[in-house]
């Protein structure tokens, strides 16, 4: 409280001027619940306090604790559900504080803001050492000025109960201030490394223990003492900067008393290379550490948060989660106690698209990431997705680079720290609950996360109804099965609805859909029917929307009022849709009179049936009304009725559902009685008996009978009584279906039906009935019988046989009848029964629908001699081949491979089939004999001449002469040429080819010419010089003379050049050239020849030069090696251990310097390596190393040899003792 | 279920809103076929009369609102079909109804007897607080009357029914009988809801915002 006075009334007013209701409200959200509110049963606050209430509160006292009750705790399905932008983050500038910063800078030269601390108070430090303290209403409580020129305030921290403020300065001073009065309680100058500045200060969870890190990178614990009333402070180095400079530290503060980590004091530290979790109480110990890499100019960031963690086994714990980040990497770790030790569990790693500047949790579900371009990203932790992004560049964020560079203490910091410190803003960005405070040089910005509720209000305020509804519904859905939360969400939606109603009075249809969706989903249908409906000017949109919801099965009941409107609306627009709606709606909300009238008028039969059965419980009226219409109306009605009858008789509801069980017997009985009633209600005299059944049978006999046969399976038709029911119905059917008023195929259907019933023993045995059926079955020809009906007839017959109802007719007679009636299945069955297998195959072949089955039959029984398959197959072989030649051939290959000649013979009149047969045979790998192969060749010439050549090249199994004969017969010149060449008769082949070429049109001439060239070059290898010329020259003459072959002239000449004398060739070329008058054609050839010769000359020259140089080099190397000196390092021979220089010749090995007497050099000793150490001799010149390099001769002979040794370099004479020679 | 609009929604309602309450009631018409149920309703709702009213299928639905003092009473009227085969439908409609009008034809003794059985059925099966009115229709044809006024009146009194002789053709007593029912029905949701669980007070305008706040 020095220069600045306690806030005057004027300053209070000033500070209020810029703020508004929401701002104050903002500043009051001091203690924001981090954890899931529902878990902790925190009551919801619906409305924010008003300006008045806050002001009156402020006047009363300065006790901040009393304001804490204004916590904002609303149900927060919050940010995680959606990524709809623009409504989540709210950015506000705290005008009161900002204007105080400005005025402090202007009036008392406080400098710009450098650090901020947020708790229930807000403290600001400035670059000239001032500290300003504000309460939650942005009122300046006190100001403090440092008088000892300690430089800027570099760090600030409030303790847990906001009674003490610790402030660190750039020159190393740490002071403690009483927050209530602003008095300095302790002033500590020597608690950190001397001559360093304070980088950050944090209180731990313990009341008298704080941590302080300095610009030397060390971390100090400050424990405050008060002995005998004298305040003191003991500082202790926890982490020395010498072991790595700590940039960031973050103590874990547990607010929840019950947590198992309560007994520990835990801090997270981060250096430029790693991060550590350290316990300082009960004893100092590093719990875990991990490596942390990142860009060199990015600082590590740490943030703790209590998070509800749901494990895989659905157990839920609330544990602290540490977020660690550097650069663009973000890690999450859970900390917990594992077997009595603190353990760090890696949860997740997130790669961000930007480098981080600051990292703060905003609530337990989201984390705020400020990137180096000062964009603030809100990231949802669970999904790792960015939810919203706000540009904070305008805030003018304060960086504490000066402190990190140690400018106030003379720059005595490490270069790494100074570089990383360019992006330091540990003390200018702070978070509190779901609010993030960003300190600008002259302003304080708050970014807060809107709750679900606030977001809805925000959207409502901006009239973004669709988004608001969507968000509200998201919240409602997210509430899941938690009733309390669901109720809150429900209430909010109702409130939203009323807001909507009151603000869209003039435009009642604006955003109707989303609102309706909301109401329907939360089940507030009454609001829909009343308030929303009553205010509409035109109901069209509403009705359409309602219809969609009905069609999606979201609502079953609607208000009868609206149902009436809906029916009227769709009756005109789309009756089909109306029918759908009626079927989906609960009938009790419909005006039956209206609906049935409309349905009748619009012919909505299904709807009528539905209402008749469900509402009126009358199952017969529909039949009586609609069956007479069956023939005049569309087929749909008939099908619909058949399905209806079928489901009634089966006890099921129509179009869906079940008939109530107690009604089922009655319904079945009524429906059946109605169907079989002799006369309709309004019958006239001309009416036939059984009008209903008759109409249905006439409509679709087969399906009607199907319905009846399905009904016969019900239990009503079993037993004695059921049997008589069946008998009665069958009698009625027979009575209706007489030949006068039904076609034969309809009667056929009926008889098939009856025979099925008879064979299943579902009808009492009745000889006359069977007689009647049999008559029908054996009919030879029935007009207009479809294949399906025919097969049904056969089926019926077979069933009768197997149920022994035809035992009175001998099988042989039936056989005759069956073949007469073309019932081949029956015939086959009978043949099988009589063990007469000879003709079974024919039964298959005669029935075009069973052609493919014949192969299965053959394959199945091929091995069975009784069946005489082979004979039958042979007999019908052409027919079978025609059905499927591939399959048939396969069968032949598999089962009758030795009978191939017979099959071939069987096909002798069918060249096409024979060709296919032989082709398939060879494809299936069956070797054909020579005669067959030639036959095949001949057939191929007829059927498929293109493939002949390919066949000739691939197959060897034919006689050349015969093949030639065949091919010549069919004038396949190409093949002839091939065969002649194969025979070795090149001349004929050549002549033929030339002929072909001469006659060939332009398009193919080139290919032909090419072929002849290849032929010639093949022939040239066996022919004499003269013959070669005879081949080549006519060809070339022809080629050169034809302009259309000019493109291959050159390759022809080249090929020819390999086989004939070049000079003659040139002559020919010149001759032809003059003939054709064009030098251009052969110019290329001549130029090519010239350049070729020039190239070869050059090549020769170069080779000679290279050889010469190689030789020279070799020689130089040799010479150098010979001149090299050697150094003998031993005085004894390594072999005999005698003195070396006892006037004997000495061998010196290469670089190792070991030597032996020449006399000792026996065969056992390899001369290429040292016997002592194995060193290779003079390994750089491996070629010349067969011999030892140096021989030392005795002194007497030295003079005589010296001249020669210098000259020839082979030997060098040295005198003992040895020394090193330099050459 | 009463829905109470909360907070800001009601505060911003247009000033024109009066102290009106809207009450909604479900009313069902019962009686033998061709006694004039549909005609009665048609007269009440639309003020029309058709000499040859077609017979109702199943049931028909209409609404009409009456004003009594400062309360709007909205009737949701289910006009059931009188034919015997639709009898099984009736419980669907009178279950949950707050009022019923049982109609008979004064020219037809059978219809009066049928009305009595309807009354009995209602007393037995419908909600205990249901308001039942007995209407002797076709009073314009009193010269061929069979059911005496006194007889019916006495019966109605014995059974605690509202009673009027009406005529859809001349509109005699038509509005009156509905009005009488409306008056007899409980308007405050307390009594109405406890009984039937169906009386709905839709909107109660003018709620004090202060009180809304301070209950939190």
């Amino acid at each position: 409280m020095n220069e600045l006075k306690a806030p005057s009334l004027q300053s209070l007013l000033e500070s209020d001027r810029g703020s508004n209701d929401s701002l104050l409200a903002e500043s009051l959200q001091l203690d924001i619940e981090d954890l899931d509110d529902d878990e902790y049963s925190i009551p919801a606050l619906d409305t924010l306090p008003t300006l008045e209430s806050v002001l009156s509160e402020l006047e009363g006292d300065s006790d901040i604790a009393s304001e804490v009750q204004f916590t904002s705790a609303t149900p927060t399905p919050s940010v995680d559900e959606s990524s709809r932008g623009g409504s989540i983050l709210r950015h506000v500038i705290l005008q009161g504080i900002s204007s105080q910063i400005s005025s402090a800078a202007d009036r008392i030269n406080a400098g710009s803001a450098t650090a901020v601390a947020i708790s229930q108070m807000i403290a600001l430090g400035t670059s000239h050492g001032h500290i300003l303290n504000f309460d939650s209403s942005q009122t300046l409580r006190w100001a403090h000025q440092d008088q000892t020129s300690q430089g800027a305030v570099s760090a600030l921290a409030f303790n847990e109960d906001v009674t003490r403020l610790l402030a660190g300065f750039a020159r190393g001073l740490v002071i403690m201030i009483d927050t209530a009065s602003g008095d300095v309680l302790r002033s500590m100058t020597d608690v950190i490394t001397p001559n360093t500045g304070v980088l950050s200060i944090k209180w731990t969870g313990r009341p008298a223990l704080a941590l302080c890190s300095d610009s030397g990178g060390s971390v100090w614990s400050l424990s405050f003492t008060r002995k005998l009333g004298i305040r003191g402070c003991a500082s202790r180095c926890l982490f020395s900067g010498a072991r790595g400079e700590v940039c960031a530290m973050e103590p874990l503060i547990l607010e929840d008393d019950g947590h198992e980590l309560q007994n520990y004091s835990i801090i997270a530290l981060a250096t430029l290379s790693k991060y550590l979790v350290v316990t300082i109480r009960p004893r100092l110990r590093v719990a875990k550490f991990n490596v942390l890499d990142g860009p060199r100019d990015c600082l590590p960031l740490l943030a703790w948060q209590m998070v509800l963690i749901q494990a895989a086994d659905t157990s839920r714990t609330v544990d602290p989660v540490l977020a660690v980040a550097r650069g663009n990497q973000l890690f999450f770790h859970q900390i917990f106690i594992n077997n009595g030790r603190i353990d760090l569990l890696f949860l997740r790693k997130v790669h961000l698209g930007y480098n981080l500047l600051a990292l703060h949790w905003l609530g337990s579900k989201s984390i705020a990431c400020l990137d180096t371009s000062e964009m603030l990203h809100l990231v949802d932790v669970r999904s790792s997705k960015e939810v919203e992004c706000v540009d904070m560049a305008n805030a003018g964020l304060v960086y504490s680079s000066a402190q990190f560079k140690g400018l106030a203490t003379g720059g005595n910091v490490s270069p790494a720290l100074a570089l990383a410190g360019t992006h330091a803003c540990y003390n200018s960005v702070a978070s509190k609950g779901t609010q993030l405070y960003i300190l600008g040089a002259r302003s304080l910005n708050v970014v807060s996360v809107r709750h679900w509720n606030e977001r809805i209000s925000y959207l409502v305020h901006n009239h973004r109804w669709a988004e608001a509804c969507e968000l509200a519904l998201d919240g409602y859905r997210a509430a899941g099965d938690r009733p309390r939360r669901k109720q809150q969400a429900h209430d909010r939606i109702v409130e939203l609805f009323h807001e909507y109603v009151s603000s869209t009075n003039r435009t009642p249809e604006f955003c109707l859909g989303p609102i309706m969706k909301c109401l329907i989903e939360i089940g507030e249908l009454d609001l829909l029917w009343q308030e929303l409906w009553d205010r509409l000017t035109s109901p069209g949109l509403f009705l359409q929307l309602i219809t969609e919801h009905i069609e999606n099965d979201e609502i079953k009941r609607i208000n009868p009022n609206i149902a009436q409107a809906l029916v009227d609306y769709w009756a005109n627009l789309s009756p089909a849709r109306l029918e759908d709606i009626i079927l989906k709606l609960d009938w009790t909300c419909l005006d039956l009179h209206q609906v049935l009238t409309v349905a009748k008028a619009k012919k909505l039969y299904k709807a009528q049936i539905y209402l008749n059965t469900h509402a009126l419980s009358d199952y017969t009226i529909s039949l009586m009304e609609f069956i007479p219409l069956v023939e005049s109306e569309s087929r749909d009605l008939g099908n619909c009725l058949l399905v209806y009858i079928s489901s009634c008789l089966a006890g099921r509801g129509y179009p869906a559902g079940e008939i109530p069980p107690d009604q089922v017997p009655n319904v079945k009985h009524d429906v059946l009685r109605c169907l079989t009633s002799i006369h309709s209600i309004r019958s006239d005299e001309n009416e036939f008996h059984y009008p209903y059944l008759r109409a249905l049978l006439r409509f679709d006999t087969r399906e009607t009978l199907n319905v009846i046969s399905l009904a016969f399976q019900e239990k009503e038709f079993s037993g004695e009584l059921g049997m008589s029911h069946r008998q009665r119905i069958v009698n009625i059917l027979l009575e209706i279906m007489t030949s006068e008023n039904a076609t034969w195929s309809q009667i056929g259907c009926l008889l098939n039906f009856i025979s099925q019933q008879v064979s299943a023993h579902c009808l009492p045995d009745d000889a006359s009935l069977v007689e009647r059926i049999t008559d029908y079955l054996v009919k030879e020809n029935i007009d207009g019988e479809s294949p399906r009906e025919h097969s049904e007839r056969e089926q019926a017959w077979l069933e009768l046989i197997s149920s022994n109802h035809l035992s009175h007719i001998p099988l042989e007679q039936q056989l005759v009848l069956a073949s007469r009636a073309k019932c081949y299945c029956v015939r086959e069955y009978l043949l099988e029964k009589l063990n007469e297998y000879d003709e079974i195959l024919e039964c298959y072949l005669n029935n075009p629908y069973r052609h493919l089955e014949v192969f299965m039959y053959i394959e199945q029984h091929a091995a069975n001699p009784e069946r005489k398959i082979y004979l039958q197959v042979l007999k019908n072989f052409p027919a079978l081949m025609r059905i499927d030649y591939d399959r048939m051939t396969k069968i032949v290959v598999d089962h009758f491979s030795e009978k191939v000649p017979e099959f071939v013979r069987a096909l002798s009149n069918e060249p096409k089939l024979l060709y296919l047969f032989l082709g398939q045979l060879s494809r299936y790998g069956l070797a054909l004999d020579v005669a067959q192969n030639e036959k095949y060749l001949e057939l191929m010439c007829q059927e498929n001449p293109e493939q002949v050549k390919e066949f000739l090249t691939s197959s060897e199994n034919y006689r050349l002469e015969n093949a030639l004969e065949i091919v010549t017969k069919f004038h396949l010149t190409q093949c002839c040429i091939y065969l002649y060449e194969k025979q070795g008769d090149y001349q004929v082949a050549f002549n033929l080819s030339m002929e072909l070429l001469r006659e060939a049109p332009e398009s193919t001439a080139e290919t032909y010419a090419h072929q002849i060239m290849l032929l010639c070059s093949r022939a040239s290898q066996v022919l004499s010089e003269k013959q070669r010329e005879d081949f080549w020259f006519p060809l070339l003459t022809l080629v050169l003379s034809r302009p259309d072959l000019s493109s291959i002239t050159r390759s022809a000449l080249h090929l020819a050049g390999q086989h004939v004398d070049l000079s003659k060739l040139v002559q020919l070329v010149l001759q032809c050239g003059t003939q054709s008058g064009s030098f251009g054609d052969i110019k290329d050839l001549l130029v090519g020849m010239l350049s070729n010769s020039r190239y070869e000359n050059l090549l020769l020259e170069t080779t000679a030069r290279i050889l010469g140089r190689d030789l020279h080099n070799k020689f130089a190397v040799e010479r150098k090696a010979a001149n090299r000196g050697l150094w003998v390092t031993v005085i004894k021979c390594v072999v005999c251990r005698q003195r070396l220089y006892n006037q004997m010749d000495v061998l010196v090995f290469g670089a190792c310097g070991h030597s032996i007497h020449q006399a000792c050099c026996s065969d056992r000793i390899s001369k290429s390596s040292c016997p002592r150490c194995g060193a290779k001799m003079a390994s750089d010149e491996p070629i010349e190393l067969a011999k030892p390099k140096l021989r030392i001769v005795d002194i007497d002979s030295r003079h005589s040899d010296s001249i020669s040794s210098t000259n020839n370099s082979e030997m060098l004479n040295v005198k003992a003792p040895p020394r090193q020679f330099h050459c | 279920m009463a829905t109470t609009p909360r907070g800001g929604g009601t505060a911003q309602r247009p000033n024109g809103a009066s102290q009106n309450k809207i009450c909604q009631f479900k009313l069902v018409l019962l009686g033998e076929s061709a006694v004039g149920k549909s005609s009665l309703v048609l007269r009440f709702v639309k003020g029309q009369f058709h000499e040859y009213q077609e017979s109702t299928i199943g049931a028909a639905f209409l609404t009409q609102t009456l004003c009594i003092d400062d309360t709007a009473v909205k009737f949701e009227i289910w006009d059931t079909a009188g034919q015997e085969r639709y009898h099984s439908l009736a419980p669907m409609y009178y279950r949950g109804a707050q009022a019923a009008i049982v109609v008979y034809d004064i020219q037809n003794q059978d219809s009066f007897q049928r009305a009595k059985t309807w009354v009995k059925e209602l007393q037995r099966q419908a909600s205990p607080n249901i308001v039942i009115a007995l209407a002797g229709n076709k009073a314009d044809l009193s010269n061929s009357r069979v059911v005496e006024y006194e007889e019916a009146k006495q019966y109605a009194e014995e059974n605690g029914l509202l009673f009027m002789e009406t005529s859809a053709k001349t509109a005699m007593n038509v509005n009156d009988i509905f009005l009488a029912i409306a008056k007899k029905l409980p308007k405050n949701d307390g009594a109405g809801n406890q009984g039937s669980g169906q009386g709905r007070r839709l909107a109660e305008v003018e709620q004090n915002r202060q009180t809304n706040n301070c209950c939190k």
Side-chain angles (χ1 to χ4, degrees), chain A residues 679 683-689:
Chain A
H679 286 292
S683 62
D684 51 30
E685 289 164 15
N686 301 329
E687 196 183 59
F688 288 113
H689 287 181

Side-chain angles (χ1 to χ4, degrees), chain A residues 171-410:
Chain A
R171 294 209 172 94
L173 173 71
V174 177
I175 59 171
M176 181 193 273
I177 302 175
D178 183 349
T179 52
S181 60
D183 298 334
V184 177
L185 300 179
R186 289 182 178 88
S187 180
M188 299 156 278
T189 49
D190 48 0
V191 290
I192 58 166
T193 318
N195 203 22
T196 57
V198 175
L199 284 191
S200 70
I201 288 184
K202 304 276 177 184
W203 286 89
T204 63
R206 311 212 167 221
L209 185 63
L211 298 168
C212 176
S213 76
D214 62 36
S215 59
S218 307
V219 178
W220 301 79
S221 73
L222 312 177
S223 25
F224 302 106
T225 54
R226 190 165 179 178
K227 286 174 186 156
L228 303 172
I230 298 162
R231 291 191 168 98
C233 171
S235 89
R236 179 177 158 213
C237 183
L238 293 181
F239 192 92
S240 165
R243 294 164 57 196
E245 291 158 313
V246 172
C247 308
M249 60 174 189
E250 199 63 48
L252 170 64
I253 295 177
L254 292 165
E255 287 163 4
D256 166 25
D257 275 342
H259 201 276
E260 56 183 359
L261 288 167
Q262 192 63 37
N263 297 329
Y264 293 89
S265 280
I266 296 169
I267 54 170
L269 301 174
T271 70
L272 289 172
S273 59
K274 57 178 175 272
Y275 59 96
L276 316 87
V277 173
V278 179
T279 58
I280 47 174
R281 292 283 187 281
R283 63 204 168 83
L284 188 63
R285 208 170 64 78
V286 175
K288 281 281 174 187
F289 71 90
N290 278 317
V291 175
L292 181 65
D293 284 328
R296 285 168 55 214
D297 61 343
C298 280
L299 283 168
L301 303 165
L302 299 167
W304 288 104
Q305 175 71 34
M306 296 300 284
V307 175
L308 179 82
I309 293 169
Q310 186 142 18
D313 55 356
T314 70
S315 64
R316 309 200 316 172
T317 53
V318 178
D319 269 332
V321 169
L322 175 65
V324 184
R326 191 171 178 198
N328 61 359
Q329 300 184 86
L330 174 57
F331 304 89
F332 292 97
H333 294 278
Q334 176 189 4
I335 185 166
F336 62 104
I337 293 181
N338 182 14
N339 294 335
R341 293 170 64 91
I342 290 180
D343 205 354
L344 209 56
L345 176 69
F346 172 77
L347 293 178
R348 164 174 309 183
K349 177 179 182 182
V350 181
H351 269 285
L352 302 167
Y354 36 81
N355 282 343
L356 285 175
L357 205 58
L359 181 73
H360 288 273
W361 288 86
L362 296 182
S364 59
K365 291 174 180 169
S366 47
I367 196 160
C369 303
L370 189 64
D371 73 13
T372 44
S373 54
E374 298 190 1
M375 298 285 283
L376 179 66
H377 306 265
L378 186 67
V379 177
D380 178 44
V381 174
R382 216 166 287 170
S383 62
S384 310
K385 278 191 190 122
E386 181 173 317
V387 180
E388 199 165 299
C389 179
V390 178
D391 187 358
M392 295 304 298
N394 288 336
L397 176 65
V398 169
Y399 290 90
S400 37
S401 314
Q403 280 80 37
F404 272 77
K405 289 179 179 161
L407 296 185
T409 51

Side-chain angles (χ1 to χ4, degrees), chain B residues 51-132:
Chain B
E51 196 73 46
Y52 299 101
Q53 175 76 27
E54 62 178 29
S55 72
T56 308
I57 310 169
F61 175 80
L62 298 99
T63 55
Q64 176 68 305
T65 309
L66 284 179
C67 278
I68 303 171
D69 306 329
D70 53 359
T71 312
V73 177
K74 184 173 179 186
F75 281 115
E76 290 185 339
I77 305 165
W78 285 99
D79 169 25
T80 63
Q83 286 167 25
E84 183 59 37
R85 66 191 185 104
Y86 297 126
H87 186 176
S88 61
L89 279 182
M92 232 31 152
Y93 294 107
Y94 65 66
R95 202 179 296 150
Q98 284 94 30
I101 301 179
V102 181
V103 188
Y104 69 91
D105 180 355
I106 61 163
Q107 309 171 81
N108 183 342
Q109 186 64 41
D110 285 350
S111 74
F112 184 57
Q113 293 309 320
R114 187 81 188 91
K116 285 182 183 173
T117 36
W118 275 122
V119 171
K120 261 186 216 134
E121 184 171 337
L122 283 174
Q123 285 167 340
R124 216 173 45 244
Q125 313 265 357
S127 86
N129 290 341
I130 191 166
V131 175
I132 306 174

Side-chain angles (χ1 to χ4, degrees), chain A residues 44 46-47 50 491 494-495 498-499 501-503 505 524 526-527 530-531 534 559-561 564 587-594 596-597 600 615-618 621, chain B residues 1 3-10 12-14 24 53-63 74 76 78 85-86 88-89 92-93 200 202-203 209 213 216:
Chain A
D46 270 328
T47 44
T50 60
D491 292 349
V494 174
E495 189 185 331
H498 287 294
E499 285 163 349
V501 167
S502 56
S503 70
N505 244 334
E524 282 289 344
D526 286 333
L527 292 177
Q530 306 296 340
E531 300 205 20
D534 290 345
N559 189 290
N561 229 341
Q564 278 182 331
W587 63 268
T588 52
C589 65
L590 294 171
D591 179 342
L592 291 177
H593 182 78
Q594 177 209 18
L596 281 169
T597 316
K600 203 169 269 177
L616 310 181
S617 300
D618 190 336
I621 186 162
Chain B
M1 181 172 50
T3 54
T4 312
R6 302 157 56 109
T10 43
Q12 291 159 23
R13 299 213 125 203
Q24 189 166 318
Q53 175 76 27
E54 62 178 29
S55 72
T56 308
I57 310 169
F61 175 80
L62 298 99
T63 55
K74 184 173 179 186
E76 290 185 339
W78 285 99
R85 66 191 185 104
Y86 297 126
S88 61
L89 279 182
M92 232 31 152
Y93 294 107
R200 285 177 295 194
L202 283 175
R209 184 168 169 242
N213 267 345
K216 295 291 160 189

Side-chain angles (χ1 to χ4, degrees), chain A residues 455-717:
Chain A
R455 284 174 63 198
I456 295 178
S457 305
Y458 172 80
L459 292 171
V460 164
H461 187 71
N462 291 312
H463 291 275
R464 287 152 72 177
W465 295 109
E467 289 168 68
C469 290
E470 195 79 4
L471 181 63
L473 270 185
D474 279 347
Y476 183 74
R477 289 177 194 138
D481 49 1
R482 285 171 284 192
R484 195 187 147 83
R485 206 153 139 181
K486 199 149 188 157
Q487 185 57 39
Q488 284 170 342
H490 177 271
D491 292 349
R492 184 66 186 86
I493 293 176
V494 174
E495 189 185 331
L496 171 72
F497 169 73
H498 287 294
E499 285 163 349
Y500 169 80
V501 167
S502 56
S503 70
T504 56
N505 244 334
R506 283 156 198 273
T507 52
E509 294 192 352
F510 178 67
C511 268
L512 194 59
I515 284 284
M516 282 171 65
K517 197 171 167 211
C518 276
L519 290 180
I520 287 169
E521 184 143 354
I522 65 166
E524 282 289 344
L525 296 175
D526 286 333
L527 292 177
L528 203 63
W529 313 141
Q530 306 296 340
E531 300 205 20
L532 218 49
W533 173 253
D534 290 345
R535 62 206 274 281
L536 290 176
T537 46
S538 69
L541 179 63
F542 185 92
L543 292 175
Q544 281 187 5
L545 291 168
I546 278 289
T547 307
E548 280 165 27
H549 288 293
I550 294 171
E551 284 169 347
N552 294 337
D553 288 324
E554 282 158 28
I555 37 180
K556 285 244 135 246
R557 282 190 63 85
I558 58 176
N559 189 290
N561 229 341
I562 288 153
Q564 278 182 331
L566 199 64
V567 171
D568 282 340
Y569 183 76
W570 288 115
N572 297 321
L573 282 180
S574 162
R577 205 150 175 206
L578 175 63
E579 187 162 38
D580 288 349
I581 298 167
I582 292 172
L583 293 183
K584 293 221 173 212
L585 279 177
D586 182 358
W587 63 268
T588 52
C589 65
L590 294 171
D591 179 342
L592 291 177
H593 182 78
Q594 177 209 18
V595 175
L596 281 169
T597 316
V598 169
K600 203 169 269 177
K602 303 283 176 190
K603 299 184 176 167
L604 305 178
Y605 302 114
K606 259 194 210 173
Q608 287 186 66
I609 294 175
Y610 168 74
L611 291 174
N612 282 337
T613 55
H614 283 74
L616 310 181
S617 300
D618 190 336
Y619 289 82
T620 53
I621 186 162
S622 316
L623 294 177
M624 294 194 274
E625 272 181 39
F626 300 141
I627 290 179
L629 305 175
V630 156
E631 283 177 272
S632 53
E633 290 295 327
S634 66
R635 287 196 68 81
D636 286 350
L637 173 62
N639 292 333
C640 182
L641 278 174
L642 286 173
V643 176
Y644 169 64
I645 294 167
S646 180
S647 33
C648 281
L649 291 178
R652 274 187 296 275
Y654 180 86
E658 299 285 330
I659 297 173
D662 52 327
Q663 290 185 24
V664 170
N666 283 337
V667 169
K668 286 185 180 176
H669 182 254
D670 289 349
V671 169
L672 202 64
R673 204 191 49 199
C674 174
L675 277 179
T676 56
S677 55
I678 300 180
H679 286 292
S680 62
I681 295 171
R682 285 178 290 275
S683 62
D684 51 30
E685 289 164 15
N686 301 329
E687 196 183 59
F688 288 113
H689 287 181
Y690 309 113
Y692 299 132
L693 207 49
R694 190 181 296 267
L696 286 175
L697 285 169
R698 211 176 300 143
F699 165 70
D700 191 335
T701 315
R702 182 189 305 277
E703 293 306 323
T704 310
L705 291 171
N706 273 347
V707 168
I708 293 174
S709 74
L710 273 178
F712 276 7
Q713 290 165 14
E714 292 292 311
K715 65 174 187 294
E716 279 75 10
F717 286 101

Side-chain angles (χ1 to χ4, degrees), chain A residues 57-93:
Chain A
E57 199 78 48
L58 288 178
E59 278 163 28
D61 54 42
S62 59
D63 182 9
I64 298 160
S66 69
E67 293 171 19
V68 177
Q69 61 185 303
F70 285 99
T71 54
S72 164
T74 41
T76 47
S78 83
V79 292
D80 54 337
E81 282 88 18
S82 67
S83 55
R84 275 175 285 283
S87 66
I88 300 166
L89 287 180
R90 168 156 60 169
H91 175 207
V92 175
I93 296 175

Side-chain angles (χ1 to χ4, degrees), chain A residues 827-855:
Chain A
R827 199 173 138 77
E828 184 206 339
Y829 179 81
L830 292 169
L831 286 171
E832 287 268 349
K833 230 173 167 182
L834 293 168
N835 293 334
E836 292 177 13
Y837 300 116
D838 300 2
E839 291 169 3
I840 286 184
L841 212 56
E842 276 162 34
C843 296
Y844 281 102
L845 290 173
N846 284 329
N847 187 349
Y849 298 96
R850 299 183 66 197
H851 275 169
L852 294 178
E853 287 168 45
V854 71
F855 297 109

